[in-house]
Amino acid sequence: MPRKVIITCAVTGAIHTPSMSPYLPVTPEEITKSAIGAAEAGAAIVHLHARDPVDGSPSQDPALFRQFLPQIKAASDVVINLTTGGAPTMKLEDRLRPAHEFKPEVASLNMGSMNMGLYPMLARFKEFKHAWEEPYLSGSHDRIFKNTFTDIAHILQSCSDNGTRFEIECYDIGHLYTAAHFIERGLIKPPFLIQSVFGILGGIGSHPEDVLHMRRTADRLFGDAYQWSVLPAGRNQMPIGAQSAAMGGHVRVGLEDSLWDGPGQLAKTNADQVLRMRRILEGLSLEVATPDDAREILQLKGGDNVNF
């Protein structure tokens, strides 16, 4: 039987700003439509952030999440994954509000503090509609995305009673060892999803050897207790996704991670990227996992056991 590959689609995120693409979902209505479209195209999981509907700035206000979570759930059986990262400018207690309130099947979890350099995008994008955009990008030159051992333990412990599993985001090799530390402490239990992130300035690069190094290290640390997926940023999205699939992994796409659908061509929807990746997977004789397949593979609690 063909191996089943989970496609996660990260719909809007907190990296790109609205002036970079007219297709970036901002309002609750746009996020709803985009998430449902991604699910219909083949995404088994949608990873969700919220934005202020007026200026598109990142927001963790549960009231905004409440305007799209029930609608997505009513229209699709897709697995919903909520961010606990929010944005690097936010305090931890604000970042955690949606996961605590809505108790999703999956939530993201960063495995370490890091420099996250967004400022190189200023070389490409120079005109901005909203006052917050340029300082947000330029400020990353001197900003640390804080995820200490205390922060990580708090996220794991405070969500443990909710039955939420985690998309464990590892931006560098050291983050894999941090995950191993929390597994040893009993705060992360198998099967767990390791999401290896490539191409963000401040983390590991996007060379094929970097991908191999991440996979080899994860295999050595975790054996058969985990599922591996890749989150390639920008133009590396499809090539690294294809490499992951060929190596037995899962893939993540979406406008959070890349605005593009080919060289110089903006993706008009998240579904565009899902369909492109789906064609790659099917060309490799792999099967695209359904939401129920993803629930079985990751041993999730099920869509009826969330608080929305």
Side-chain angles (χ1 to χ4, degrees):
M1 296 292 292
R3 182 172 59 83
K4 295 179 179 180
V5 180
I6 298 168
I7 301 177
T8 294
C9 183
V11 170
T12 188
I15 290 178
H16 299 113
T17 71
S19 298
M20 295 178 181
S21 172
Y23 308 114
L24 185 70
V26 168
T27 67
E29 294 78 12
E30 291 168 347
I31 292 169
T32 299
K33 181 179 179 181
S34 199
I36 294 170
E40 291 173 345
I45 302 174
V46 289
H47 171 65
L48 301 176
H49 290 239
R51 290 179 179 265
D52 184 308
V54 176
D55 66 5
S57 58
S59 175
Q60 289 292 90
D61 184 350
L64 292 173
F65 283 82
R66 201 173 293 114
Q67 293 178 52
F68 54 75
L69 291 178
Q71 291 84 343
I72 297 168
K73 181 183 176 184
S76 172
D77 68 344
V78 69
V79 175
I80 292 178
N81 169 345
L82 297 185
T83 179
T84 69
T89 53
M90 297 176 180
K91 295 180 179 179
L92 181 64
E93 54 265 33
D94 294 324
R95 290 163 44 188
L96 275 170
R97 290 173 67 198
H100 282 171
E101 178 158 342
F102 299 114
K103 302 175 174 53
E105 293 185 78
V106 183
S108 64
L109 174 57
N110 290 37
M111 275 291 117
S113 301
M114 62 180 293
N115 297 321
M116 182 176 281
L118 308 181
Y119 61 88
M121 288 189 282
L122 291 169
R124 179 186 290 268
F125 303 101
K126 300 181 183 300
E127 296 183 4
F128 299 97
K129 302 173 186 176
H130 306 291
W132 69 272
E133 296 180 79
E134 193 280 335
Y136 179 74
L137 298 172
S138 62
S140 68
H141 197 282
D142 193 33
R143 180 189 303 135
I144 293 173
F145 190 5
K146 177 177 172 289
N147 294 282
T148 65
F149 292 109
T150 298
D151 295 338
I152 295 167
H154 175 61
I155 293 171
L156 288 167
Q157 291 167 332
S158 67
C159 293
S160 63
D161 291 341
N162 298 338
T164 297
R165 285 195 174 272
F166 289 92
E167 173 196 19
I168 300 171
E169 297 191 353
C170 297
Y171 291 74
D172 219 332
I173 295 297
H175 291 182
L176 294 174
Y177 284 89
T178 297
H181 165 75
F182 284 103
I183 293 163
E184 185 175 342
R185 287 174 59 178
L187 294 179
I188 297 174
K189 301 181 187 301
F192 44 88
L193 175 65
I194 296 291
Q195 188 75 264
S196 293
V197 185
F198 300 94
I200 296 290
L201 182 60
I204 198 168
S206 54
H207 192 278
E209 288 293 336
D210 295 323
V211 182
L212 290 169
H213 186 32
M214 269 277 200
R215 182 62 195 262
R216 284 192 296 257
T217 304
D219 281 346
R220 176 165 47 81
L221 290 173
F222 310 129
D224 59 1
Y226 84 111
Q227 295 289 325
W228 184 60
S229 181
V230 296
L231 188 175
R235 64 183 180 182
N236 303 296
Q237 188 178 75
M238 297 297 158
I240 291 180
Q243 184 180 359
S244 170
M247 293 168 61
H250 306 284
V251 296
R252 176 170 136 172
V253 297
L255 294 180
E256 172 172 350
D257 307 329
S258 174
L259 296 174
W260 307 99
D261 187 29
Q265 179 67 43
L266 289 170
K268 294 183 178 179
T269 67
N270 278 281
D272 290 345
Q273 293 182 350
V274 174
L275 288 170
R276 181 181 283 263
M277 180 53 67
R278 181 171 194 151
R279 288 193 292 270
I280 291 171
L281 297 178
E282 292 173 345
L284 293 171
S285 298
L286 298 170
E287 184 176 339
V288 175
T290 67
D292 284 343
D293 291 332
R295 290 184 173 98
E296 181 178 355
I297 292 167
L298 301 176
Q299 294 184 20
L300 303 181
K301 64 180 181 178
D304 293 335
N305 298 308
V306 297
N307 193 33
F308 57 87

